């Protein structure tokens, strides 16, 4: 039986891997603080709050602007450089655009610190999908660049399986906006009816896939509380409990 789909788009966090073992935010902030201090004192300036608190304030600033975008139902990816500059200004640091950009990159630390873990069977399922000839792309809502996400994929020994690495930060729109799906289909040269997308969040992943007219697949990993579809546009075409079940959907098992 020929495969029903030529391409699979993946959400990442909560779909391929989880961060259940991540240290608390305070521990991560304490790790980042010396880097922030080095950069800001290098500009001849000083934060009015401790640098670990500044790190947490910057992250809170990102969350606030994500939430504002959500409430406005506008899914433009917030400008992280503006977010950083705003938080710095609130704490006595005046940064140029280039400096705010430098600081945003400083916050982008090595993935190992977050102790990510693949869900059981992820590697095997991706390898098996690959052997069907399926083309794979990421479609993550992360702000990070493709380069950063590729490093994470490499950390999990997955990078060589992905033809395209797409992020909301690079594309400029957050799921549920379908832009990232459109960009992926174009990059992979696959029509919508030959693509499916797998994700763990109905209101982001499934809504984006549905809006773009591709097959939507909700993954509900066992022993995890998964959000349920709240509106008709969040209803998936299929629900699976493990990535291995994707092979049945693709029609290759
Ligand atoms: Mg997710």
């Amino acid at each position: 039986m020929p495969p029903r789909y030529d391409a699979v788009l993946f959400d990442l966090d909560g779909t391929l891997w989880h961060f259940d073992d991540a240290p608390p935010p305070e521990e991560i902030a304490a790790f980042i603080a010396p880097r922030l201090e080095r950069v800001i004192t290098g500009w001849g300036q000083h934060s009015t709050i401790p640098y670990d608190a500044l790190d947490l304030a910057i992250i809170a600033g990102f969350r606030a602007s994500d939430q504002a975008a959500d409430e406005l139902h506008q899914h433009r990816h917030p400008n992280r450089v503006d977010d950083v500059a705003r938080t710095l200004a609130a704490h006595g640091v005046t940064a140029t655009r280039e400096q705010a950009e430098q600081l945003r990159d400083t916050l982008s630390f090595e993935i190992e610190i977050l102790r990510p873990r693949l869900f059981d069977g992820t590697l095997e399922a991706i390898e098996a999908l690959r052997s069907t000839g399926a083309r794979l792309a990421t479609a993550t809502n992360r702000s990070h660049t493709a380069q950063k996400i590729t490093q994470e994929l490499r950390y999990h020994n997955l990078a060589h399986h992905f033809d395209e690495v797409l992020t909301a930060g690079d594309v400029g729109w957050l799921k549920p906006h379908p832009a990232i799906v459109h960009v992926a289909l174009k990059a992979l040269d696959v029509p919508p009816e030959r693509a499916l997308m797998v994700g763990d969040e109905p209101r982001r992943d499934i809504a984006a896939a549905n809006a773009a007219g591709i097959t939507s697949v909700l993954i509900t990993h066992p022993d995890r509380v998964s959000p349920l579809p709240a509106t008709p546009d969040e209803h998936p075409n299929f629900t699976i409990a493990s990535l291995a079940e994707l092979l049945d959907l693709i029609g290759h098992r």
Side-chain angles (χ1 to χ4, degrees), residues 34-69:
R35 299 186 188 195
L36 285 187
E37 183 168 10
R38 210 175 311 129
V39 171
I40 292 171
T41 54
W43 302 338
Q45 299 194 56
H46 292 280
S47 167
T48 54
I49 57 171
Y51 288 91
D52 51 351
L54 182 65
D55 179 39
L56 291 172
I58 292 170
I59 305 296
F62 290 165
R63 294 241 168 81
S65 73
D66 284 352
Q67 201 175 338

Side-chain angles (χ1 to χ4, degrees), residues 11-15 200-201 205:
D11 170 56
L12 298 177
D13 305 336
T15 296
D200 67 311
E201 282 191 86
D205 308 316

Side-chain angles (χ1 to χ4, degrees), residues 238-250:
F238 299 99
T239 300
I240 57 175
S242 78
L243 287 176
E245 291 177 36
L246 265 183
L247 292 185
D248 300 325
L249 288 182
I250 289 254

Side-chain angles (χ1 to χ4, degrees), residues 211-239:
I214 69 172
T215 299
S216 55
V217 181
L218 179 67
I219 185 155
T220 56
H221 294 285
D223 306 323
R224 293 177 78 82
V225 181
S226 307
L228 295 170
T231 57
D233 56 317
E234 296 176 9
H235 277 277
N237 296 116
F238 299 99
T239 300

Side-chain angles (χ1 to χ4, degrees), residues 1-4 131-133 246-253:
M1 184 166 63
R4 282 189 285 263
S131 69
T132 71
L246 265 183
L247 292 185
D248 300 325
L249 288 182
I250 289 254
H252 231 277
R253 199 162 71 160

